[in-house]
Amino acid sequence: MFGCLFEEEEEAGFSPNPGLGRVAKGIEEPPPTRGKSNLSGIKNQGGTCYLNSLLQTLLFTPEFREELFSLGQEELGLLEGKDKPEAKVRVIPLELQRLFAHLLLVDQQSASTTQLTDSFGWKNNEETNQHDVQELNRILFSALEHSLVDTSGSSLIHRLYHGTIVNNIVCSECGNVSQRQEDFLDLTACVCGMGSLENALWAMFVEEEMFEGNNLYRCAKCDGLVTAAKSAKLQELPPFITMSLLRFSFDFAKCERYKEMGRYTFPLTINLRPFCEQIDGEDAEFTYKLFSVIIHKGGCYGGHYHAFIRDIDQLGKWEPPVPEVKEVQEVKELQEPKLDVEDPLCLLTAVISQEPSKSVLLDQLGQKLLDKTGSSWGKKFRKHHGPIGKFLQSHSDVFMLVSNGTRVALKSNQPSTAGSSPAEPTETLGEGDHWFDLNDSTVASIRESDIERQFQGKESAYMLFYRKVQLPRPSEAFRNPLYKVPPHLVQMAAEENLNLQRRRETFENSSNSVELRLHLAPSYRLENGALQPMSIHQEGVTPLSFDRRKTVGDLRLSVYQMLELWEGDMALTVAKSLPAGLHLYNTLTDDGMSLYSAGIVTNSDLFVWNGREVAGAPVLTGAEWEPVLLTVAPGKGKENGGPGLIKETRGFACGATLGEVREALGEPQESMLCQVQAAGKGGGAGGVEGQGGGASGWKVFPPADLQRTLKELSLKDGDKLLVLEPQSFDSSLFSLSGELVTVTTPSDCRWLLVEFRPHRGGGGGGEGGGDGVGEEERKSAKVPASGIMSIGEVKQRAIEELHLKDQLSGVECCLRPMDRTGKHLLTPVCEELSVRDAGVRLMTTLILCLGKAPTTTQLFLHYSLGTAPSAGMEMDIIVEQTCTVKECLKAMLEAIGLEGDSWHLRILDWCDEVGEPLMNEDAPLSELNISCGDTLVITQGQLPPKVMTLPGLQSVCVPTPAFLRLWQLEERRPVRIHRGQQLTLRKLKVTGGAELCVQRLLSEEDLGLKEVLLRVQMAVPGEGRYYPAEELVWNASRDSSPGSLRSTLAARYGLSPDALLLAKQHPDKHTWDAITSWSQQTSKRKKKKKTESLLGAPFHLKDGDMIGIKVPERKSRATPVLLQAVTYWSWYSVMLNLFHLTNWVTLEQTLSKN
């Protein structure tokens, strides 16, 4: 069960297993420092919470810790020499020493037990299997005794934990006493039917068991079966007593195990004198004080362990814990006097006295009574006491009317309606009486009264550790973690702290270091509305690494020091590279602002200039002056026998009007500006770089558009403009029909240049040549063509013009266009399509290559083996569009001479990297959006499984995925919970680069589509503070109105729905919006007004939203109270926002817990 816990000599080497953290520029995040408690927790290896709880208890047993530290290396050996055959190294006590020293001295939130469990010999993922802590306690003590044989610590366990029990059987006939001693290291106390630890001990050591009836005792002296009485007593008491509570039992009727969850009390201080054989002596000799409680949370088949431990040596820093909502409610219930709900005088007096103003509006007194008791006055008291107003008049000695008879108050001599409320429980904690909850990696302060919560329930006490009150502690041990720690372990901890400090400083500097790109003004000029480098070979960019925690003034000073020859003022302006060039945005003017607050991140561009001009030209800054790079085609007609449309790119500010653009182009006011008309369904007209054919269409901008800006006209980078003068329509090149201008390609421009390159072969299989074809010089010919001519006809004409008819007889060839660089061939053109439908532009070049062209039902694909192909190294294949992934893979493997089923296909993504595998092998390529020209990569290995475990969640152990909650993050803030365990990431709309957060739950959760997870925070009545936030699942499937949410919250907190003020927090704006009910109550004859939904405008409630709840103190003036509440929300928003962030930081740190 616990591996080779005793076989130390056969241990292998050990290595630490640091937890995975975030990485900043290749540097792993160091472990966090200790928390406010100044105590260190222990990491959970997956299922070692039971081990962690026991180890923390042993650590906070000072006598055990100091006895262990007293064993030197001369007795235990050295861990470095444990692999030597002749060395006797006692690994378990050495690893315990190292772990205890780490927990005491190393400034780290939690320590790892990997080396300790390695010394146990745990294998086969033993760390992920949870076991019983009581059994581990006995096995660990036995292993320590076995390991410490022949050392000064051989009696360590015996001295501290060993005690004896004497069992007596007294014969009722002769009085003979038979005694038997029994050793123990821990006592097992029964839970079932006992109710308390004292009752269990009384049943064990005081009550007698009678042997009578069919169960007689054979007396050795009487030599026969006789009646007898059996009893047991504690004979020898150890310094420490461990009580193991038998919480788990077996139901023989149902044949199943179960956990005793009933109330079972145990004292903080216990006197064992009544249970001992020798009762002489002082009470201190028999008195023990509780110092540790190991708690089990869960059922009999699994759960979680943590420990409540008293800090005897005051090593931690105790702070009063923040009370939970349930705690405050319990205290409030204790403080409220018990009322007689059948006495109207008692009820009305209590209602009025609990109001802050000690008075209530007369017309609201009935509603207050209804909120208090759940029954109205008319239903409960009117029959016997009459109307409520008459009842008040009949008790004028108690009640009086104030504020002109609108309010009712109590007279000063009103009778007492209840007994005095109990005093608020106080807890006086002396030195060394501070308690902490050590729960794996986290350590929290608790009160001594919190132990009473572990008397019953699913989360209840499982092991109790008591310590004799006679054991003194030296004064030098208090607040001194170095006490009795061996020097070599102190040095080890000091070196570890120094290393952690260096790692944290390095990580902090790396995580806060940003890489900036400085653009110097002398290296730029203003052109096309944007800044362009003076020289093509010199961009004028200076890299700079800077700490973003420093201020803008520090950055300016550093830049001054870099640029020794800079003269005059210096302005630092955030810049951005656009297609038109470099554009400037906001200038950093506040020298006291940090770069982090200014929004400066890694790879930010900063322009260094004087803030006014660049190379003598003024520069306009800001988003409204962003340049747009347009392609302008002045329609000058044919000039000098050349083609008519000559294109040029020009940049203009997006805030400039179309008329200002025309003026900047130097065109007269009567000129017309046209925008390219999108091609129709038939694939006809195109633009300047249209989709092929002989004509293109342009739409004329109406005169009103000349006053609109480029941004208002939605013109963007790359859009085309055609500028036409009135005389342009005199030629046959342009024709105007309504608002559409048609540009006709001249007859001498209707041609295609076809070039024959036999050595650049392409086509199916990627073979470079054919029969009878050798290396020849390139040949080219200009082939007459039109938009309606087929590609096959163009190929035949090219073969005739190039005189290749005999040479290419019987050899398949195809036409392939070139890319814009003119270096790489594109996909072969289908010969069945026309020039226009194939997207081939006239006056361009086509390459006549060897190989087959695909048909309209086929796909031309590139593929490579193993890795992403380099240029020109991929192979080609032609397959049918209906071909499946498996059939395509088979054809590719046959083409390259491979076989077997240990291959799969991956697609090359847009950045030429091997992407995701094609998981559905039976799907046709057309359904997977595979198109001509795509590149597939043949990868060795079977397809990866569809269900995988993320590396960061491998240490998280949950019964089912329903115990995990998946959040979508936006700007490091959780905004949406993904629902539906069977949905794919595509259906959940999770795209690449999305940030996700996994939250572990204590119970299963299956949220519906209209169930919203809200975080609610209730105001403390009568005080200026709020309870901690709680999670609330609101079912909005049937009703998503404010009334539905109000009713859900009222049921949650036991309040009236009308008595609640609600508001939603906007953490980004640090404001609150009050939630009010919009539906109006009307008569039955009129139709009810449709109730608004909180899921829509203006609130848009979603998962994780914070809802504040407040019970108003006065309702006489509804509107002022509501406005006052909204003002209070705004004032309190900063604190709640900080709580929101802290909660999720804690969440990220607790993802690796059990």
Side-chain angles (χ1 to χ4, degrees):
M1 176 179 175
F2 290 99
C4 306
L5 195 57
F6 300 96
E7 300 176 7
E8 299 182 7
E9 289 79 4
E10 301 178 2
E11 292 302 319
F14 59 95
S15 60
N17 183 25
L20 296 177
R22 58 190 177 97
V23 176
K25 300 182 181 179
I27 302 177
E28 183 181 336
E29 181 183 13
T33 59
R34 298 177 181 233
K36 295 181 179 179
S37 64
N38 197 34
L39 298 178
S40 179
I42 301 179
K43 297 177 184 177
N44 194 320
Q45 298 187 46
T48 57
C49 54
Y50 64 101
L51 173 65
N52 298 347
S53 302
L54 182 59
L55 291 175
Q56 292 282 19
T57 299
L58 296 178
L59 173 68
F60 283 90
T61 306
E63 288 74 14
F64 179 88
R65 181 181 70 230
E66 293 165 6
E67 289 272 0
L68 185 66
F69 281 148
S70 66
L71 302 175
Q73 295 179 337
E74 61 279 358
E75 291 185 282
L76 302 180
L78 297 175
L79 285 172
E80 293 76 8
K82 67 176 182 177
D83 295 328
K84 298 179 181 180
E86 69 281 358
K88 176 62 177 178
V89 181
R90 307 173 193 273
V91 182
I92 294 179
L94 285 172
E95 291 294 355
L96 272 177
Q97 284 184 345
R98 289 181 56 174
L99 176 63
F100 284 2
H102 193 287
L103 292 171
L104 290 172
L105 303 178
V106 177
D107 186 16
Q108 191 171 333
Q109 182 191 28
S110 57
S112 173
T113 56
T114 304
Q115 298 179 17
L116 179 62
T117 54
D118 286 346
S119 70
F120 293 168
W122 285 2
K123 301 176 182 178
N124 300 325
N125 297 326
E126 191 72 31
E127 297 87 349
T128 62
N129 300 326
Q130 191 178 92
H131 299 295
D132 186 75
V133 68
Q134 297 175 0
E135 188 173 0
L136 173 66
N137 183 50
R138 296 167 185 169
I139 294 178
L140 182 59
F141 280 2
S142 298
L144 277 174
E145 287 184 321
H146 175 78
S147 180
L148 295 176
V149 172
D150 299 331
T151 67
S152 59
S154 58
S155 60
L156 167 64
I157 303 299
H158 187 276
R159 291 197 307 270
L160 297 180
Y161 297 95
H162 179 267
T164 57
I165 298 174
V166 58
N167 295 288
N168 298 321
I169 300 179
V170 181
C171 176
S172 60
E173 300 292 337
C174 65
N176 181 51
V177 179
S178 174
Q179 287 190 344
R180 180 176 60 86
Q181 287 188 350
E182 179 183 346
D183 298 331
F184 71 88
L185 293 178
D186 64 282
L187 296 177
T188 303
C190 183
V191 174
C192 181
M194 291 299 168
S196 67
L197 178 63
E198 294 94 329
N199 293 342
L201 294 176
W202 188 272
M204 292 170 59
F205 300 113
V206 177
E207 294 182 355
E208 294 182 342
E209 179 184 359
M210 299 302 298
F211 294 101
E212 55 187 0
N214 296 329
N215 185 26
L216 295 176
Y217 170 71
R218 179 172 294 277
C219 178
K221 188 174 182 180
C222 299
D223 194 19
L225 297 176
V226 296
T227 59
K230 179 183 178 181
S231 63
K233 291 291 184 181
L234 293 171
Q235 188 178 55
E236 181 182 349
L237 295 177
F240 297 91
I241 288 185
T242 303
M243 301 287 186
S244 299
L245 307 184
L246 293 179
R247 286 279 184 185
F248 299 111
S249 301
F250 188 83
D251 190 339
F252 290 95
K254 298 181 179 179
C255 293
E256 63 180 11
R257 296 180 64 198
Y258 68 97
K259 180 180 178 181
E260 293 283 354
M261 300 183 186
R263 183 173 178 82
Y264 188 87
T265 64
F266 48 88
L268 298 177
T269 303
I270 187 171
N271 191 322
L272 298 180
R273 184 194 295 269
F275 316 117
C276 294
E277 183 183 33
Q278 299 293 333
I279 60 175
D280 297 333
E282 299 179 359
D283 282 343
E285 299 179 8
F286 303 95
T287 305
Y288 286 79
K289 194 171 184 179
L290 184 70
F291 76 95
S292 177
V293 181
I294 293 183
I295 300 161
H296 179 265
K297 182 178 182 180
C300 57
Y301 297 105
H304 178 66
Y305 290 94
H306 62 107
F308 286 180
I309 298 178
R310 184 163 61 96
D311 185 11
I312 298 173
D313 285 348
Q314 306 175 34
L315 301 178
K317 182 180 179 182
W318 189 88
E319 294 182 354
V322 178
E324 299 180 359
V325 176
K326 294 181 179 179
E327 296 179 12
V328 178
Q329 289 178 346
E330 292 174 359
V331 173
K332 180 181 177 182
E333 292 175 358
L334 290 175
Q335 293 176 346
E336 289 183 354
K338 294 183 179 180
L339 301 176
D340 185 359
V341 295
E342 300 298 330
D343 184 0
L345 179 62
C346 176
L347 288 175
L348 291 177
T349 305
V351 168
I352 298 174
S353 62
Q354 290 177 4
E355 290 294 315
S357 61
K358 302 300 180 182
S359 65
V360 179
L361 282 172
L362 188 60
D363 57 355
Q364 290 187 1
L365 185 57
Q367 181 64 38
K368 295 281 187 180
L369 183 65
L370 177 63
D371 297 340
K372 186 78 174 176
T373 64
S375 299
S376 64
W377 176 271
K379 192 173 182 180
K380 190 170 181 116
F381 301 111
R382 185 181 180 92
K383 183 177 180 180
H384 300 287
H385 302 279
I388 191 171
K390 184 177 180 181
F391 180 83
L392 295 174
Q393 292 177 3
S394 62
H395 292 81
S396 57
D397 57 332
V398 179
F399 307 103
M400 63 179 180
L401 297 178
V402 296
S403 301
N404 297 325
T406 60
R407 305 184 71 85
V408 58
L410 298 176
K411 289 188 175 180
S412 58
N413 58 346
Q414 72 270 23
S416 177
T417 61
S420 59
S421 60
E424 181 179 356
T426 59
E427 182 179 350
T428 304
L429 298 177
E431 295 294 334
D433 287 335
H434 297 161
W435 286 78
F436 293 92
D437 179 12
L438 292 101
N439 192 344
D440 287 341
S441 298
T442 61
V443 182
S445 302
I446 62 171
R447 299 184 184 274
E448 196 173 64
S449 57
D450 293 335
I451 300 176
E452 298 179 2
R453 297 184 180 182
Q454 314 307 320
F455 287 167
Q456 60 190 359
K458 282 190 175 181
E459 186 176 8
S460 51
Y462 192 57
M463 287 187 73
L464 308 175
F465 296 83
Y466 285 90
R467 162 194 175 89
K468 259 190 179 180
V469 296
Q470 282 186 332
L471 296 177
R473 293 297 300 151
S475 58
E476 57 268 20
F478 291 110
R479 300 184 182 87
N480 183 13
L482 294 171
Y483 184 68
K484 294 293 183 71
V485 180
H488 70 280
L489 293 179
V490 175
Q491 182 180 359
M492 177 205 71
E495 293 174 354
E496 180 68 17
N497 284 328
L498 183 60
N499 182 37
L500 286 173
Q501 182 181 357
R502 292 173 179 171
R503 288 177 58 191
R504 287 167 183 150
E505 291 177 354
T506 303
F507 180 82
E508 191 71 17
N509 293 333
S510 300
S511 59
N512 288 287
S513 176
V514 291
E515 302 295 332
L516 305 178
R517 293 195 293 261
L518 302 180
H519 301 264
L520 307 181
S523 302
Y524 283 84
R525 69 179 187 278
L526 188 64
E527 181 180 340
N528 289 335
L531 296 170
Q532 307 291 345
M534 287 285 191
S535 172
I536 301 178
H537 306 288
Q538 182 181 3
E539 295 185 357
V541 179
T542 302
L544 175 64
S545 296
F546 204 74
D547 192 336
R548 64 175 181 172
R549 294 170 295 184
K550 294 185 177 181
T551 63
V552 175
D554 297 332
L555 176 61
R556 194 188 313 276
L557 180 60
S558 299
V559 176
Y560 263 121
Q561 294 174 353
M562 288 176 55
L563 308 176
E564 299 178 355
L565 301 180
W566 186 274
E567 296 181 357
D569 298 334
M570 175 184 290
L572 300 177
T573 304
V574 178
K576 183 179 179 181
S577 294
L578 300 175
L582 194 68
H583 181 65
L584 306 184
Y585 292 87
N586 57 302
T587 300
L588 305 179
T589 56
D590 188 356
D591 284 352
M593 179 184 294
S594 67
L595 297 188
Y596 178 81
S597 301
I600 303 300
V601 296
T602 296
N603 296 328
S604 293
D605 294 286
L606 293 178
F607 193 73
V608 184
W609 61 316
N610 57 13
R612 298 181 299 276
E613 59 184 12
V614 174
V619 179
L620 300 176
T621 63
E624 64 274 13
W625 299 106
E626 275 188 0
V628 179
L629 191 64
L630 302 178
T631 300
V632 182
K636 301 297 184 181
K638 285 184 59 178
E639 296 181 4
N640 301 326
L645 295 182
I646 303 175
K647 299 170 293 183
E648 62 174 339
T649 56
R650 292 283 299 272
F652 304 95
C654 63
T657 64
L658 201 59
E660 293 172 347
V661 171
R662 183 177 61 183
E663 182 179 352
L665 292 173
E667 299 291 340
Q669 293 187 355
E670 58 271 14
S671 299
M672 292 186 297
L673 298 179
C674 310
Q675 185 180 16
V676 65
Q677 181 75 16
K681 188 175 182 179
V688 177
E689 294 179 345
Q691 297 181 359
S696 58
W698 300 76
K699 183 179 179 181
V700 180
F701 285 105
D705 285 350
L706 296 177
Q707 304 302 321
R708 300 175 63 187
T709 63
L710 300 185
K711 187 175 183 179
E712 294 173 344
L713 293 171
S714 300
L715 290 175
K716 55 186 181 300
D717 294 318
D719 285 352
K720 306 173 182 63
L721 288 180
L722 177 64
V723 184
L724 294 177
E725 298 179 0
Q727 59 270 24
S728 300
F729 298 103
D730 297 337
S731 66
S732 61
L733 192 64
F734 306 102
S735 61
L736 177 65
S737 176
E739 296 182 353
L740 184 64
V741 174
T742 302
V743 182
T744 305
T745 305
S747 58
D748 56 353
C749 297
R750 298 176 182 174
W751 50 266
L752 288 170
L753 182 66
V754 179
E755 182 178 333
F756 177 58
R757 298 182 185 179
H759 61 284
R760 294 289 298 273
E767 297 178 0
D771 297 338
V773 179
E775 289 290 338
E776 297 183 10
E777 295 182 359
R778 298 180 181 180
K779 299 180 180 180
S780 61
K782 185 181 293 187
V783 179
S786 64
I788 60 175
M789 182 181 294
S790 68
I791 296 296
E793 187 177 353
V794 173
K795 185 183 75 171
Q796 293 299 327
R797 288 190 179 185
I799 292 176
E800 294 176 358
E801 292 287 340
L802 295 171
H803 306 290
L804 298 174
K805 190 172 183 179
D806 296 335
Q807 186 176 353
L808 299 179
S809 178
V811 179
E812 291 184 339
C813 56
C814 60
L815 293 177
R816 301 180 67 169
M818 300 287 291
D819 63 1
R820 293 187 176 183
T821 63
K823 297 180 180 180
H824 305 294
L825 294 175
L826 301 179
T827 304
V829 185
C830 178
E831 297 180 1
E832 302 171 6
L833 300 177
S834 65
V835 172
R836 180 179 293 116
D837 294 339
V840 177
R841 293 182 292 110
L842 298 179
M843 298 185 298
T844 58
T845 301
L846 295 177
I847 307 301
L848 181 62
C849 301
L850 302 178
K852 183 180 178 181
T855 64
T856 55
T857 61
Q858 293 178 331
L859 296 175
F860 182 88
L861 303 174
H862 307 288
Y863 67 98
S864 66
L865 181 63
T867 58
S870 56
M873 298 302 294
E874 68 272 7
M875 296 168 280
D876 306 325
I877 191 172
I878 296 178
V879 296
E880 295 291 333
Q881 294 180 0
T882 58
C883 176
T884 63
V885 176
K886 185 180 295 183
E887 294 171 348
C888 179
L889 175 61
K890 183 179 179 181
M892 292 177 178
L893 292 176
E894 291 177 353
I896 58 180
L898 294 176
E899 58 183 12
D901 56 354
S902 61
W903 305 90
H904 65 275
L905 288 178
R906 293 176 179 260
I907 191 170
L908 206 67
D909 58 18
W910 62 273
C911 55
D912 293 335
E913 294 182 356
V914 180
E916 297 295 327
L918 302 179
M919 301 294 295
N920 192 355
E921 293 185 306
D922 298 325
L925 298 177
S926 57
E927 293 184 2
L928 300 177
N929 296 326
I930 304 296
S931 57
C932 282
D934 285 348
T935 301
L936 302 180
V937 180
I938 303 175
T939 307
Q940 189 173 10
Q942 298 286 345
L943 279 173
K946 293 184 179 180
V947 179
M948 296 177 288
T949 302
L950 298 177
L953 299 179
Q954 290 179 352
S955 60
V956 178
C957 180
V958 292
T960 64
F963 282 82
L964 296 178
R965 181 185 293 162
L966 185 63
W967 286 89
Q968 179 96 22
L969 300 184
E970 292 181 5
E971 298 180 355
R972 305 287 296 175
R973 187 184 301 278
V975 296
R976 179 163 60 97
I977 297 176
H978 290 294
R979 296 159 171 81
Q981 300 180 14
Q982 305 300 326
L983 298 180
T984 62
L985 295 181
R986 179 176 299 175
K987 291 185 178 180
L988 292 174
K989 298 182 180 179
V990 178
T991 59
E995 295 187 36
L996 301 176
C997 175
V998 180
Q999 179 183 2
R1000 185 178 176 182
L1001 306 175
L1002 298 179
S1003 59
E1004 290 184 290
E1005 179 182 82
D1006 186 13
L1007 295 178
L1009 295 179
K1010 287 297 184 71
E1011 288 183 327
V1012 185
L1013 181 75
L1014 302 175
R1015 300 176 65 248
V1016 297
Q1017 201 160 29
M1018 168 68 78
V1020 180
E1023 301 184 23
R1025 60 189 182 90
Y1026 282 70
Y1027 298 124
E1030 289 184 324
E1031 290 184 350
L1032 171 73
V1033 177
W1034 174 44
N1035 189 352
S1037 58
R1038 294 185 178 180
D1039 186 5
S1040 58
S1041 66
S1044 173
L1045 177 60
R1046 198 180 302 275
S1047 300
T1048 303
L1049 292 171
R1052 174 72 172 266
Y1053 293 102
L1055 300 172
S1056 173
D1058 297 332
L1060 299 181
L1061 286 176
L1062 306 183
K1064 175 194 171 184
Q1065 182 196 23
H1066 294 280
D1068 52 340
K1069 301 178 182 178
H1070 305 291
T1071 58
W1072 291 80
D1073 283 346
I1075 299 177
T1076 57
S1077 298
W1078 305 304
S1079 59
Q1080 300 177 354
Q1081 296 181 356
T1082 59
S1083 64
K1084 296 183 179 180
R1085 297 180 180 179
K1086 298 181 181 180
K1087 295 183 179 180
K1088 290 185 178 180
K1089 184 179 179 180
K1090 183 179 179 182
T1091 304
E1092 299 291 344
S1093 171
L1094 290 178
L1095 304 182
F1099 293 99
H1100 299 286
L1101 284 190
K1102 60 183 182 301
D1103 296 321
D1105 280 349
M1106 174 71 76
I1107 301 297
I1109 311 172
K1110 187 178 181 182
V1111 180
E1113 299 178 359
R1114 300 175 62 184
K1115 284 192 175 181
S1116 58
R1117 299 177 181 178
T1119 303
V1121 171
L1122 181 59
L1123 293 177
Q1124 182 181 5
V1126 175
T1127 305
Y1128 189 80
W1129 301 124
S1130 303
W1131 177 85
Y1132 202 63
S1133 61
V1134 176
M1135 183 179 298
L1136 292 181
N1137 190 39
L1138 292 176
F1139 175 82
H1140 179 78
L1141 295 177
T1142 306
N1143 187 23
W1144 282 99
V1145 172
T1146 307
L1147 169 64
E1148 287 186 31
Q1149 296 172 352
T1150 56
L1151 275 179
S1152 61
K1153 291 183 183 178
N1154 176 272

